[in-house]
Amino acid sequence: LDYLAQEAERALRRGDLPAAARAWSALLSQRPHDCRTRELLLEARLEMGDRGGARRLIRDGLEHAVRSGDRTAALACYRMATQH
């Protein structure tokens, strides 16, 4: 999975935000508890003007965290929602 994070970073350095977002999305599908990846993907979606996708990302992250009982992730998703 590290290759996905590396691909996202390479895409970001080349200025290819959609490719970075795809890589982060693929990584997040494998690690839904990863708040940092979720935050990076959220920032990319907002930068690309995908507000609906950003809202879904926050909502889905919060729902996943609450269902799994992950208090830390739930609070991180809540903070993301209130900051954006």
Side-chain angles (χ1 to χ4, degrees):
L1 296 177
D2 288 336
Y3 72 94
L4 289 170
Q6 292 169 358
E7 175 56 32
E9 289 303 317
R10 282 192 298 273
L12 190 60
R13 281 194 301 273
R14 348 182 256 278
D16 189 350
L17 205 51
R22 285 190 298 275
W24 283 319
S25 184
L27 182 58
L28 193 60
S29 73
Q30 298 299 311
R31 298 192 302 206
H33 61 281
D34 187 338
C35 289
R36 179 63 184 147
T37 299
R38 187 174 300 278
E39 184 176 9
L40 291 167
L41 180 55
L42 173 65
E43 289 174 7
R45 288 190 175 167
L46 289 170
E47 185 68 26
M48 292 186 302
D50 182 8
R51 298 204 183 287
R55 280 191 296 273
R56 284 189 300 278
L57 185 63
I58 292 169
R59 184 191 64 230
D60 292 350
L62 185 55
E63 287 176 4
H64 179 270
V66 169
R67 268 195 314 272
S68 67
D70 188 340
R71 181 180 183 273
T72 301
L75 291 172
C77 284
Y78 176 77
R79 281 191 293 276
M80 278 191 282
T82 59
Q83 291 174 359
H84 297 286

